[in-house]
Amino acid sequence: MAIIDNAYTYYLSTYGNRIGTRYDSHKKSELRKVYNQIVKLNKEAPLYKFKNSGTITKYAIDIKEGAQHIRNVVASISGSDDIMKALQKKSAVSSQEDIVTARYIGKDEEQMKDFDIEVRQLAKPQVNIGNFLKSIRRDLTPDAYSFDITNSSSSYEFQFNVSQTDTNYSIQKKLSNLITSAGIGLTASVMEDANGQSALRIESLQTGLSEDEKYLFNISVGGGATSAVALNILGIDQISQEAQNSSFLLNGVPQSSYSNTFSINNAFELTLRGISPEGQPATIGFKPDAQSVLENIQSLTNAFNSVIETSNTYAERYGQNRRLQYQIGSAADAYRDELAAIGLHKEEDGLFSVDASALTEIIESENPSEQLAVLNDFKQTLDTRAALAVLNPMEFVNKVIVTYKNPGRNFSAPYMTSLYSGMMMDHFC
């Protein structure tokens, strides 16, 4: 049992925390196909033996998991046989990023057309700025005070105390923290000027006003005469900036929004950031999503490199052969020049490096499909090579051939899938 314990302990400690993906589940037809492949593989496989050490156990597990990861990555970036469909995903782009930014949130890019937007006015919050008072003085007498803050749906009472040791600044700071932490859609801060004076500034998180609203929040006296005096001294009931809606021309048609961030036809999310120069609208359109493509290609090369590093490590440390490196690494050799032309360079150690700037330039060119088409051939070849490693990882460990089977005159051995499973279950295999 020590052999199987070691195998499972290594597997669980190394790969047990991986989250399964939908590519790790299979239909009955897919499982039957794998089963038939294993039966065919073992029918003609020679009889061999190996020294069953922990090193071989770990190496076999690493081979199988690394190769399966390659297959999962290939599947995740290519839902069909053509990887270009995944790599041609596009994102929304604005011709004037300092005026308006865009993000595509729809589902069918082909149905969307470019459009123009000219920003006339940004949406603004309501801002109340109180009176500037000498920071080190105290204009409120020690007492208990209160005031009310009302918005379109609710009213809130705020109470605060003033002590002998308070100053105007400490009182304003106290009220700032009180209002901000209340969670009623307002933020408050204390402003200071060069004359040693400070004032309380209160701003709404919300922007814009509906036609039947006069304000987003209103501050009024909540107690008796002393509270009225305190509110008059603080001056925080004064509206310094009224809330306003954004205003813009969408393909020449006047539009408005309560916010600077809004959606168009549930397809584009726009964020207004500045005022357009007169008669110079920004154009919202599509461009290839370079970041998405880069991430997909980087995931593929990372999976490739991981398997090559596994082969190198076991060859250098434990004297294992480099058949795995040849099996997976040679998948790229036929496309070395084409891959290098798009920024994927195979180095001397067999690992891929990605030139992000060169790849981005190709992705954002007018017709990237012709140059990136090599990725489809590379993906298919790599997937085929990885599939063989998944079926029988023991093919790549050091072993001694005992005898070859008589070609064409053998029976299937469906219960002996490979010595990979035998290694896990019986140390005499």
Side-chain angles (χ1 to χ4, degrees):
M1 288 298 291
I3 300 297
I4 187 173
D5 287 346
N6 291 338
Y8 281 115
T9 297
Y10 177 74
Y11 178 84
L12 292 175
S13 63
T14 308
Y15 302 103
N17 60 347
R18 284 189 177 180
I19 299 175
T21 70
R22 63 189 181 94
Y23 307 107
D24 293 309
S25 60
H26 305 280
K27 301 176 183 177
K28 289 182 179 179
S29 59
E30 293 172 329
L31 292 175
R32 181 173 293 276
K33 180 180 178 180
V34 173
Y35 167 79
N36 289 334
Q37 289 174 329
I38 292 175
V39 170
K40 182 178 179 181
L41 176 70
N42 284 279
K43 182 178 180 181
E44 304 296 337
L47 177 64
Y48 56 83
K49 65 180 181 178
F50 60 91
K51 182 180 179 181
N52 197 334
S53 66
T55 299
I56 289 181
T57 301
K58 294 176 181 179
Y59 189 29
I61 292 173
D62 289 341
I63 292 172
K64 189 176 183 70
E65 291 300 315
Q68 184 60 49
H69 182 53
I70 287 179
R71 302 206 70 196
N72 288 353
V73 170
V74 169
S76 69
I77 65 176
S78 178
S80 67
D81 290 336
D82 187 2
I83 195 173
M84 293 308 299
K85 292 182 179 179
L87 297 179
Q88 287 174 344
K89 183 179 179 181
K90 296 182 178 180
S91 61
V93 61
S94 168
S95 63
Q96 300 177 27
E97 294 282 341
D98 57 330
I99 302 298
V100 55
T101 57
R103 185 170 68 93
Y104 185 69
I105 58 175
K107 296 182 179 179
D108 191 354
E109 300 167 4
E110 296 182 358
Q111 299 300 317
M112 299 305 301
K113 297 181 179 180
D114 296 358
F115 61 90
D116 293 336
I117 180 171
E118 183 175 337
V119 183
R120 295 288 184 82
Q121 175 179 284
L122 294 177
K124 294 182 179 179
Q126 177 181 327
V127 178
N128 285 22
I129 299 179
N131 298 325
F132 277 89
L133 309 173
K134 283 291 184 180
S135 298
I136 60 175
R137 289 181 51 184
R138 175 172 50 77
D139 291 321
L140 298 182
T141 58
D143 204 343
Y145 302 94
S146 67
F147 59 89
D148 294 333
I149 297 181
T150 305
N151 58 28
S152 60
S153 60
S154 304
S155 181
Y156 306 90
E157 181 182 20
F158 290 83
Q159 299 178 349
F160 65 100
N161 296 319
V162 175
S163 67
Q164 290 284 357
T165 59
D166 276 324
T167 62
N168 289 329
Y169 179 83
S170 68
I171 295 170
Q172 292 164 340
K173 193 67 177 176
K174 184 188 304 182
L175 292 176
S176 169
N177 295 335
L178 185 65
I179 294 171
T180 300
S181 62
I184 59 173
L186 302 177
T187 60
S189 59
V190 179
M191 302 171 58
E192 298 181 73
D193 63 15
N195 299 320
Q197 299 183 111
S198 58
L200 186 60
R201 183 182 189 276
I202 306 172
E203 178 179 333
S204 63
L205 298 178
Q206 182 181 340
T207 58
L209 279 174
S210 62
E211 294 182 356
D212 59 347
E213 288 182 320
K214 295 182 179 180
Y215 51 78
L216 291 180
F217 66 92
N218 180 59
I219 299 178
S220 58
V221 177
T226 54
S227 292
V229 171
L231 189 60
N232 184 60
I233 292 173
L234 292 170
I236 56 177
D237 56 338
Q238 306 169 44
I239 298 179
S240 302
Q241 173 184 283
E242 293 185 350
Q244 66 179 28
N245 300 334
S246 61
S247 175
F248 51 93
L249 300 179
L250 195 62
N251 286 337
V253 179
Q255 303 283 351
S256 65
S257 172
Y258 296 139
S259 172
N260 288 318
T261 299
F262 51 88
S263 63
I264 301 294
N265 297 330
N266 293 321
F268 289 93
E269 181 183 86
L270 303 184
T271 299
L272 308 184
R273 301 188 181 279
I275 307 299
S276 299
E278 185 68 27
Q280 298 182 33
T283 299
I284 307 299
F286 282 112
K287 73 171 182 179
D289 188 353
Q291 186 60 38
S292 176
V293 176
L294 283 173
E295 290 176 357
N296 286 332
I297 294 177
Q298 190 66 65
S299 295
L300 184 62
T301 56
N302 286 346
F304 176 94
N305 288 345
S306 178
V307 172
I308 300 302
E309 288 174 340
T310 295
S311 177
N312 291 342
T313 298
Y314 279 91
E316 293 169 3
R317 293 184 182 178
Y318 308 111
Q320 291 290 336
N321 63 67
R322 294 183 181 269
R323 292 188 63 185
L324 177 64
Q325 181 178 2
Y326 175 78
Q327 172 81 0
I328 301 299
S330 62
D333 291 342
Y335 316 105
R336 182 187 293 267
D337 293 340
E338 294 93 331
L339 292 172
I342 63 173
L344 274 65
H345 301 279
K346 191 177 180 186
E347 307 297 344
E348 292 296 327
D349 57 3
L351 304 179
F352 266 121
S353 64
V354 179
D355 186 341
S357 59
L359 188 55
T360 300
E361 184 176 346
I362 293 173
I363 294 168
E364 295 183 344
S365 63
E366 291 185 0
N367 186 22
S369 299
E370 184 175 346
Q371 287 179 281
L372 294 180
V374 65
L375 291 170
N376 194 48
D377 297 330
F378 174 53
K379 178 269 293 187
Q380 292 175 345
T381 303
L382 184 60
D383 187 56
T384 300
R385 300 290 181 86
L388 294 175
V390 170
L391 283 176
N392 187 15
M394 304 309 293
E395 179 71 17
F396 306 97
V397 303
N398 288 342
K399 56 186 179 293
V400 177
I401 302 297
V402 176
T403 182
Y404 288 95
K405 296 179 181 178
N406 191 1
R409 302 184 63 181
N410 294 301
F411 296 99
S412 299
Y415 298 106
M416 180 183 172
T417 56
S418 75
L419 284 188
Y420 177 79
S421 60
M423 170 198 69
M424 298 288 281
M425 299 303 296
D426 186 352
H427 72 275
F428 292 109
C429 288

